[in-house]
Amino acid sequence: MAQSTVLPDEDVPTGLQSGQRGAGARRLLLLLAVPAVAALIIGWVVWAGFYTDWLWFQKLGYRTVFSTILATKAMLGITVGVIAAALIWLNFRLALRMSPELPQVERFLDIEGQRLRAPDFSRLASRLAFPAALAIGAFMGLRAWGAWDLFLRYRYQVPFGETDPIFGRNIGFYFFTLPALEAVAGLLLTLVLVSLIGAALIYVARGAVTSPQRHIQRVVQRGPRAHLLSLAAAAFLVLAWQAYLEIPNLLFSNKGPVAGASYTDINATLPLLYAQIAVAILVAALAAMSLFRSRSRLLWAGMGAYLLVLAAGWIFPAAMQRFSVGPNELSKETPYIEHNIAATRKAFGLDHVEERELSGETALTASDIQKNRRTINNIRLWDQQPLLDTFSQIQEIRTYYDFHSVDNDRYRINGEMQQVMLSARELSAASLPNRNWINERLTFTHGFGLTLGPVNQVTAEGLPVLFVKDIPPASSVPSLKVDRPEIYFGEVESDHVYVKTKAKEFNYPAGEENVFANYAGEDGVAIGSMWRQLLFATRFGDMKLLLSDDLTAESRVLFYRNIRERLARVAPFLRFDDDPYLVISEGRLFWIVDAYTVSDRYPYSQPVSGGINYIRNSAKAVVDAYNGHVWLYIADERDPLIQTYARIFPGILRPLAEMPADLRGHLRYPEDIFKIQTAVYSTYHMDQPQVFYNKEDQWAVTSMAESKPGTEAQVVMEPYYTIMKLPGEQTEEFILMLPFTPKRKDNLAAWMVARSDDENYGRLIVYRFPKQKLVFGPKQVVARINQDADISRQLTLWNQRGSQVIFGPIMVIPIEESLIYVQPLYLRAETGKIPELRRVIVVAENRIAMEPTLEASLGQIFGSAPSSTKPSAMAAAEKSPAQASRPDEPTATTQPTADARSLSAQARQHYDRAMQAQREGDWTRYGEEIKRLGGVIEQMSKQK
């Protein structure tokens, strides 16, 4: 049984005290030594990381970004931390000074015959007050350290030129000022509450506040009471300020049918917030008055009233919503729905979408196909994944090369704009056959070249025609020649490497021999000195760097080589697109990456996934694949966010006009923002509140079943790039497009395009079909393809032979005011890895054709197809492999026409198809082609 006794200090034996003090001193020294050594090690590691980052930013030319962010972080962290620690310590010290002194006695507990010293809370409070104030100040300083972006945006803010519809404040207030005020209010409330709670604990520990059950010393002095009342008054003033800041935050409410302040928010929550502000100020005043009164009844009454107002804030709005708004929601919410529609369209850049009506009545003819020859010639027959698989098998050359992704772009070839697909050949250190420090850090340092080909051409073997291929890159098109094919900076995850060393860098394989070279670029932080080597060895945990004999005075280290990571370091205030793409410009390779400014602070705008309710494609980034240079350009000068960042970091963001013209010609509207815009526009094209509320005309981004018989999996259709002539326009252009269907319906309702060329860049157009006209949607077309007897028979035959049938994405191709659907079909042998393009399915209205080439399918449906002096898909397929490798050579047209020459070519075409069907064992197709051949021969005999 434990007993408590109180003994004076002199009752403890002196010898025991001396021995305990000596042992305690040794333990204290040991305890202090371990953290001190750990602190030194951690400090050195942190300093090494910090200093090497500084060197990297300085070398890249973005020292302003590093210094501005660091200086702001340090200023905020130190200022807030010191002020917070000082104020908290001031309150703790005041509480200690105004606390009564307790008798200097020690308490012991007798537990099973052992005497243990009981904690002395009075002394403990004195000892812990200062360290606690420092710790809390450090914590608040760390919070402020991370708020650099908030502070800088507030300080350098650029007005929006627009106001909210309820309070009439500039939109910039919600983006820049309100978040900063909320952060300050949060810090103040934390300061006051910590001071109040800490002071109260000190008073309790030191006996200034005692309970009636304890009669050791009951002392209630005016000093502690006044101190606590003052802090309570300050707390309620801060709470009143926070309630005031909740008023503009009503415009982000999600309690109504749409985002933004609803009828209930304005007519119930808003008055209660004003009441909460008034009552909080009243309670603060009552707390101040209680300083001069012995009793605090009015204060307690005021606090009770404050709690009642808080409770009313939950009950009254809910009651109004249920009994008043609910039965009449549309009539009461109409003005707020209008605010939401207008704000959402502005926030997502949809307020200037141009809508055009299509009749849907136009029946396509061979003449229409002929007039849109360039559109037909740029229909993409290669899907990204099959093409990536093919590149990996025929162009990786060595196991340590990797094609990470396939990009879409366009180049002017033989005087015409041609859409191409390309992929960079990067080096993957993880795939090296012999992974060791020398290979990974000194020898295998970079990728080499790229593969590039047209989107619509195939060889006779069903493989893609390539304009740029092999190692070193061989180009059949002069404008696509690559003089500097080395890729030191790319998409593949890459670790640091050391260049300009005594070790030769592997450049590319050449037969049985390897070609070596040394990095001649401008990037890299010098590591010639022992000091630099020690710093980077610490940063990378790479002690072999200190032991290597391959380093010279000219040696450098390349790090942050992944372009996404590199750009995130250079511009942490931007969000970058997930699909960087490679560009050939003047013989060099560059990466272009789209950048966005995003926010969740646009009043009344409807948030999308991720919580954002504002986005702009405000910047373009260019990265040199060899030198690693980074350039940032402002793409949307109307965006106040990017203008604010331009003021924060002067000279970092350049006007788009300064981008080289050749690179500017490869800018494209990015998929990431287009996906968001199409998702939002599928609902927000409805601009009438009643129609919007009832979702009478809601669209959906097209989804469809996978194009495999027997599967029910749904696939969301992805936007795709193409070159086409838009209805009503005179010339072809590079666009990004996506079709819409009505919600829970499969027919086509509209399609949206984003334009990418010249002065039309960024313009969005929606083409709508009449509601009374049935236009087949992608899902219905896929169902028709799967139900076609000839196609099903052919698929069954291929499957029986063990081949894997791979359907490419179905593409909607607008021609004039009508549509055709195109879907490529690939075959992969049972034991093979290379997909081959074997069929192209074309659907136009009620007609379906599946032929080896796009032109053949078009010819079967329309009886004619566009002639061309450049190699089309069919022309490439008809050539020998040697000819197909030279796509720039002119080829004779193979399209059927009414003259004898065309009939002869058509006969040859049917004969070749019959022979191919015979080789594949497709006797049904063989019979059909022989029958068609007979018909052509009959026409030829009549002309004679």
Side-chain angles (χ1 to χ4, degrees):
M1 181 176 179
Q3 295 181 350
S4 175
T5 60
V6 179
L7 294 177
D9 287 342
E10 56 270 15
D11 287 353
V12 179
T14 303
L16 180 60
Q17 288 182 359
S18 177
Q20 289 176 342
R21 289 171 182 168
R26 289 190 296 271
R27 286 197 299 269
L28 180 61
L29 288 175
L30 182 61
L31 289 174
L32 290 176
V34 173
V37 173
L40 286 174
I41 295 174
I42 293 173
W44 167 251
V45 172
V46 171
W47 166 253
F50 163 79
Y51 185 64
T52 51
D53 268 347
W54 163 261
L55 294 173
W56 182 82
F57 275 94
Q58 187 179 40
K59 180 64 179 178
L60 200 60
Y62 284 84
R63 184 174 57 186
T64 302
V65 175
F66 185 88
S67 59
T68 300
I69 293 176
L70 180 64
T72 305
K73 284 181 174 181
M75 183 269 293
L76 289 176
I78 294 173
T79 302
V80 172
V82 169
I83 292 176
L87 289 177
I88 292 172
W89 167 239
L90 179 64
N91 281 282
F92 287 179
R93 182 63 179 168
L94 187 62
L96 290 171
R97 293 194 62 179
M98 290 192 296
S99 300
E101 293 291 337
L102 293 180
Q104 297 298 317
V105 296
E106 292 186 352
R107 293 175 173 80
F108 288 83
L109 296 176
D110 291 337
I111 301 177
E112 298 180 356
Q114 295 184 358
R115 300 175 66 199
L116 302 176
R117 183 182 286 108
D120 186 347
F121 291 106
S122 176
R123 293 183 178 180
L124 191 63
S126 302
R127 294 172 181 173
L128 291 182
F130 185 69
L134 287 179
I136 297 170
F139 173 74
M140 297 182 71
L142 287 176
R143 285 181 57 188
W145 174 279
W148 64 269
D149 191 21
L150 202 67
F151 173 79
L152 290 175
R153 283 188 296 162
Y154 168 73
R155 181 178 178 185
Y156 294 98
Q157 61 181 280
V158 174
F160 268 69
E162 303 169 5
T163 58
D164 75 82
I166 301 297
F167 305 114
R169 290 189 175 97
N170 188 282
I171 301 298
F173 168 82
Y174 299 92
F175 274 69
F176 308 119
T177 304
L178 183 58
L181 294 178
E182 289 175 334
V184 172
L187 286 173
L188 287 177
L189 186 62
T190 302
L191 268 176
V192 174
L193 290 180
V194 168
S195 298
L196 177 62
I197 294 171
L201 290 175
I202 290 174
Y203 287 133
V204 170
R206 292 173 65 87
V209 178
T210 57
S211 61
Q213 289 75 19
R214 295 176 59 191
H215 299 285
I216 298 175
Q217 184 178 11
R218 181 172 178 79
V219 177
V220 181
Q221 299 179 354
R222 292 187 59 185
R225 182 172 179 273
H227 185 199
L228 295 177
L229 285 173
S230 299
L231 291 173
F236 275 97
L237 287 176
V238 177
L239 288 173
W241 188 25
Q242 285 193 326
Y244 175 75
L245 295 179
E246 283 298 314
I247 293 174
N249 271 312
L250 289 176
L251 303 191
F252 305 101
S253 171
N254 58 3
K255 297 177 182 178
V258 293
S262 64
Y263 180 91
T264 300
D265 291 320
I266 298 301
N267 293 279
T269 306
L270 181 59
L272 286 171
L273 283 175
Y274 283 124
Q276 184 178 336
I277 295 169
V279 173
I281 294 174
L282 176 62
V283 173
L286 291 174
M289 291 173 57
S290 298
L291 293 174
F292 308 100
R293 301 171 62 90
S294 59
R295 297 188 177 185
S296 305
R297 292 180 180 177
L298 289 177
L299 175 60
W300 290 108
M303 294 177 66
Y306 185 78
L307 293 176
L308 286 176
V309 172
L310 292 179
W314 290 87
I315 298 171
F316 181 53
M320 176 178 283
Q321 180 66 33
R322 180 169 184 178
F323 299 108
S324 177
V325 178
N328 310 282
E329 189 170 50
L330 177 58
S331 61
K332 291 182 179 294
E333 298 287 3
T334 292
Y336 308 105
I337 293 175
E338 291 176 341
H339 298 330
N340 173 265
I341 293 173
T344 302
R345 289 168 68 106
K346 285 183 180 179
F348 289 98
L350 299 171
D351 52 327
H352 295 297
V353 173
E354 181 181 354
E355 293 194 357
R356 299 181 183 178
E357 299 294 333
L358 297 174
S359 65
E361 303 289 343
T362 305
L364 288 179
T365 64
S367 176
D368 295 324
I369 300 296
Q370 175 65 30
K371 287 190 297 184
N372 290 271
R373 177 182 59 82
R374 287 187 60 197
T375 297
I376 298 299
N377 286 343
N378 283 281
I379 293 177
R380 178 163 60 88
L381 300 181
W382 286 103
D383 187 27
Q384 296 198 15
Q385 191 56 52
L387 188 60
L388 190 63
D389 293 342
T390 301
F391 284 170
S392 298
Q393 294 301 315
I394 67 175
Q395 281 293 304
E396 278 190 355
I397 312 297
R398 296 290 178 87
T399 58
Y400 40 76
Y401 286 127
D402 182 26
F403 289 105
H404 182 267
S405 63
V406 177
D407 301 317
N408 279 275
D409 201 358
R410 72 281 198 197
Y411 289 83
R412 188 164 295 279
I413 299 172
N414 296 331
E416 284 191 359
M417 194 61 68
Q418 171 77 52
Q419 186 180 357
V420 301
M421 300 184 77
L422 67 155
S423 185
R425 186 185 292 104
E426 300 190 57
L427 187 137
S428 174
S431 301
L432 288 173
N434 183 18
R435 298 190 63 183
N436 55 53
W437 188 84
I438 293 177
N439 281 344
E440 292 186 30
R441 298 287 177 261
L442 304 179
T443 304
F444 293 90
T445 57
H446 58 275
F448 200 85
L450 75 159
T451 297
L452 180 150
V455 297
N456 68 325
Q457 297 182 25
V458 295
T459 67
E461 294 81 13
L463 300 178
V465 172
L466 300 178
F467 290 168
V468 181
K469 61 180 180 179
D470 299 338
I471 297 178
S475 174
S476 59
V477 178
S479 60
L480 298 179
K481 183 181 179 182
V482 181
D483 299 319
R484 179 59 78 181
E486 296 89 349
I487 300 176
Y488 283 85
F489 304 88
E491 293 185 87
V492 173
E493 292 297 328
S494 303
D495 211 339
H496 63 280
V497 295
Y498 306 110
V499 296
K500 297 191 175 184
T501 64
K502 295 178 183 178
K504 294 182 178 180
E505 297 178 48
F506 170 77
N507 206 27
Y508 61 88
E512 298 298 326
E513 301 294 330
N514 290 331
V515 177
F516 293 87
N518 287 321
Y519 180 68
E522 300 174 2
D523 191 64
V525 179
I527 53 170
S529 66
M530 182 58 69
W531 166 248
R532 291 281 182 91
Q533 292 172 18
L534 180 60
L535 282 171
F536 281 98
T538 303
R539 178 195 175 96
F540 298 127
D542 188 1
M543 293 301 106
K544 292 182 180 179
L545 176 63
L546 299 174
L547 305 175
S548 175
D549 295 329
D550 291 314
L551 300 182
T552 69
E554 301 297 322
S555 296
R556 300 179 187 177
V557 58
L558 307 181
F559 57 108
Y560 294 141
R561 297 198 298 141
N562 178 274
I563 56 176
R564 288 190 184 90
E565 183 183 15
R566 194 173 189 85
L567 290 172
R569 291 279 176 172
V570 167
F573 46 88
L574 296 175
R575 182 175 297 185
F576 291 95
D577 194 86
D578 290 333
D579 185 26
Y581 58 100
L582 194 66
V583 171
I584 303 173
S585 179
E586 298 180 355
R588 301 179 65 88
L589 300 179
F590 298 89
W591 296 97
I592 296 181
V593 189
D594 285 280
Y596 310 103
T597 46
V598 299
S599 178
D600 59 355
R601 306 297 298 181
Y602 199 100
Y604 268 109
S605 178
Q606 192 75 28
V608 296
S609 58
I612 67 171
N613 67 1
Y614 175 90
I615 186 170
R616 289 290 185 273
N617 177 209
S618 54
K620 304 282 185 179
V622 177
V623 182
D624 189 321
Y626 184 73
N627 287 310
H629 294 165
V630 175
W631 299 271
L632 298 173
Y633 300 94
I634 297 177
D636 187 355
E637 295 183 351
R638 298 168 299 177
D639 176 32
L641 273 178
I642 200 67
Q643 293 297 338
T644 297
Y645 287 123
R647 295 180 63 185
I648 295 172
F649 306 104
I652 298 302
L653 295 159
R654 310 178 183 201
L656 190 61
E658 294 185 12
M659 180 185 289
D662 188 54
L663 286 176
R664 204 160 58 242
H666 290 278
L667 297 182
R668 67 185 194 187
Y669 200 80
E671 287 189 57
D672 282 2
I673 189 173
F674 189 67
K675 289 178 183 178
I676 294 174
Q677 289 175 317
T678 51
V680 172
Y681 197 77
S682 64
T683 298
Y684 281 85
H685 71 277
M686 299 179 288
D687 55 5
Q688 298 300 316
Q690 183 171 353
V691 176
F692 180 92
Y693 179 80
N694 294 319
K695 301 296 186 289
E696 297 175 17
D697 190 27
Q698 188 174 10
W699 297 342
V701 175
T702 304
S703 64
M704 54 192 171
E706 282 192 278
S707 302
K708 296 179 183 178
T711 183
E712 297 181 358
Q714 295 292 311
V715 178
V716 176
M717 195 169 184
E718 294 288 329
Y720 52 92
Y721 293 99
T722 188
I723 293 178
M724 63 169 290
K725 182 167 64 176
L726 295 172
E729 301 295 331
Q730 300 301 315
T731 59
E732 288 78 9
E733 55 186 294
F734 190 66
I735 64 164
L736 179 64
M737 71 170 292
L738 188 67
F740 294 108
T741 60
K743 188 75 171 180
R744 300 185 183 89
K745 298 290 183 181
D746 296 332
N747 60 290
L748 204 62
W751 46 281
M752 175 183 276
V753 300
R755 307 172 78 173
S756 297
D757 292 343
D758 303 327
E759 69 276 1
N760 289 322
Y761 179 88
R763 289 184 58 191
L764 302 177
I765 305 177
V766 171
Y767 292 89
R768 305 174 66 132
F769 291 102
K771 295 181 182 179
Q772 68 275 13
K773 172 71 175 178
L774 174 62
V775 179
F776 287 122
K779 191 173 183 179
Q780 294 170 318
V781 171
V782 169
R784 291 178 59 201
I785 291 172
N786 290 335
Q787 294 168 6
D788 185 87
D790 291 338
I791 295 176
S792 297
R793 185 166 52 251
Q794 183 63 66
L795 295 180
T796 301
L797 179 62
W798 279 326
N799 288 328
Q800 288 175 350
R801 296 175 60 188
S803 298
Q804 180 187 1
V805 179
I806 304 171
F807 282 87
I810 190 162
M811 289 170 288
V812 184
I813 308 298
I815 304 289
E816 300 298 330
E817 291 201 7
S818 189
L819 302 169
I820 63 172
Y821 285 89
V822 177
Q823 184 174 39
L825 187 149
Y826 313 93
L827 283 185
R828 178 185 281 142
E830 184 177 10
T831 57
K833 297 182 180 180
I834 303 178
E836 299 175 358
L837 178 62
R838 285 303 179 189
R839 292 291 186 272
V840 179
I841 303 172
V842 175
V843 180
E845 298 179 350
N846 294 319
R847 295 166 290 178
I848 301 178
M850 183 178 77
E851 299 294 337
T853 64
L854 173 62
E855 284 81 357
S857 293
L858 290 171
Q860 183 173 337
I861 291 178
F862 297 104
S864 180
S867 60
S868 176
T869 58
K870 64 184 289 186
S872 62
M874 188 178 76
E878 295 294 332
K879 291 188 296 183
S880 67
Q883 290 172 320
S885 67
R886 298 191 296 272
D888 53 318
E889 294 182 3
T891 59
T893 178
T894 56
Q895 312 307 327
T897 63
D899 55 18
R901 182 179 178 183
S902 177
L903 288 173
S904 176
Q906 195 173 2
R908 176 69 182 178
Q909 183 180 22
H910 289 306
Y911 174 78
D912 289 342
R913 292 181 194 161
M915 293 300 99
Q916 184 178 1
Q918 184 185 43
R919 289 191 296 271
E920 294 175 355
D922 185 357
W923 300 109
T924 301
R925 176 69 66 183
Y926 174 80
E928 292 175 352
E929 293 298 337
I930 292 296
K931 183 178 179 181
R932 292 170 184 166
L933 175 60
V936 173
I937 293 174
E938 184 178 352
Q939 291 183 39
M940 293 172 66
S941 64
K942 289 180 181 179
Q943 288 192 1
K944 292 180 181 178

